Amino acid sequence: MKLKRLFSSSFAKGTENYLNTQKKYEILRTILYFSVSASLFIAGYLQTKTKVNLLTVVAVLGCLPASKSAVNAIMFLRFQSCSYACASEIKNHCGSLKGLFDCVFTSYKNNYCVSHLAVRDNTICGFTENDKFEDNEFYKHIQDILKMEGHKEVTVKIFHNLTKYTERLEQMNALEEDEAKTQAIIETLKSVML
């Protein structure tokens, strides 16, 4: 619990610096889990002078959650949070828009890392710092997910240029908002994010 509190400022999905914070948390948790298993094995060996004992069985079973944690750590190591400069610029232009930082969406073919997403009614705009981002496949993937959740006719646009993205954020701020619809779309996006 203390470990989670240490990272609590950026621990929730969609908050700024979420990926980097989650990465640190997963690495520390993995080290802790493997340390517990190793210490149980060593204690059993020192006590019985043989590997064949009950603590060895417990240590091996303890490797299961440790391995699962290692997989999570490896997944988070592949992605970077939105850079500080970009995040500051985006926050200056967000105004009343609801947005999500550090969004990673996975599909069978690709992983899509979006630095920031802004949502207003049926409009989703995002910014990515990834030069190899495959826009069209991402649009299809997200729209399919949103349709399955009952969100029809949602437009999705990803920007690679920060200036154009911040201009679009200003335009979106001027639009009227159906807060319930916006929040429902945000919750759907959070449920499928890494």
Side-chain angles (χ1 to χ4, degrees):
M1 190 64 170
K2 287 183 181 180
L3 185 61
K4 210 167 197 177
R5 216 176 303 129
L6 176 68
F7 298 108
S8 64
S9 63
S10 301
F11 206 68
K13 276 186 185 182
T15 57
E16 183 182 352
N17 208 28
Y18 166 72
L19 290 175
N20 289 341
T21 304
Q22 187 69 18
K23 191 183 311 182
K24 292 173 190 171
Y25 173 75
E26 293 294 340
I27 290 170
L28 288 174
R29 187 172 72 169
T30 301
I31 291 169
L32 177 69
Y33 284 0
F34 277 116
S35 299
V36 168
S37 289
S39 64
L40 286 171
F41 175 77
I42 291 168
Y45 185 77
L46 291 175
Q47 193 172 39
T48 63
K49 304 293 185 220
T50 179
K51 291 187 270 185
V52 183
N53 60 56
L54 188 58
L55 285 179
T56 299
V57 173
V58 174
V60 169
L61 291 176
C63 286
L64 294 173
S67 298
K68 182 180 183 284
S69 183
V71 169
N72 287 339
I74 290 167
M75 283 190 333
F76 280 102
L77 282 170
R78 298 181 60 213
F79 305 105
Q80 291 294 320
S81 287
C82 181
S83 68
Y84 179 75
C86 290
S88 297
E89 187 69 22
I90 289 167
K91 285 191 290 189
N92 289 337
H93 294 276
C94 261
S96 64
L97 283 173
K98 306 260 188 318
L100 299 168
F101 279 97
D102 297 347
C103 306
V104 176
F105 301 96
T106 59
S107 70
Y108 291 112
K109 294 180 182 178
N110 291 319
N111 296 318
Y112 307 100
C113 187
V114 182
S115 300
H116 185 262
L117 281 175
V119 180
R120 171 88 21 124
D121 288 341
N122 283 347
T123 304
I124 300 173
C125 285
F127 170 71
T128 184
E129 296 173 277
N130 181 358
D131 296 333
K132 298 177 182 176
F133 192 85
E134 298 181 20
D135 296 17
N136 293 329
E137 289 184 26
F138 175 73
Y139 299 153
K140 183 179 180 336
H141 177 65
I142 288 299
Q143 286 173 336
D144 289 346
I145 289 170
L146 292 170
K147 283 179 188 172
M148 285 191 293
E149 293 294 320
H151 305 293
K152 308 281 186 217
E153 299 177 16
V154 177
T155 58
V156 181
K157 173 71 175 151
I158 298 295
F159 292 85
H160 298 271
N161 182 305
L162 184 60
T163 305
K164 289 181 181 177
Y165 181 59
T166 55
E167 288 171 5
R168 181 62 180 136
L169 290 177
E170 296 288 342
Q171 294 168 358
M172 288 175 69
N173 263 320
L175 299 174
E176 293 208 18
E177 178 182 26
D178 179 354
E179 197 166 323
K181 186 184 291 186
T182 300
Q183 194 59 39
I185 290 174
I186 287 175
E187 292 304 319
T188 300
L189 292 172
K190 278 184 172 181
S191 70
V192 296
M193 283 171 37
L194 180 63

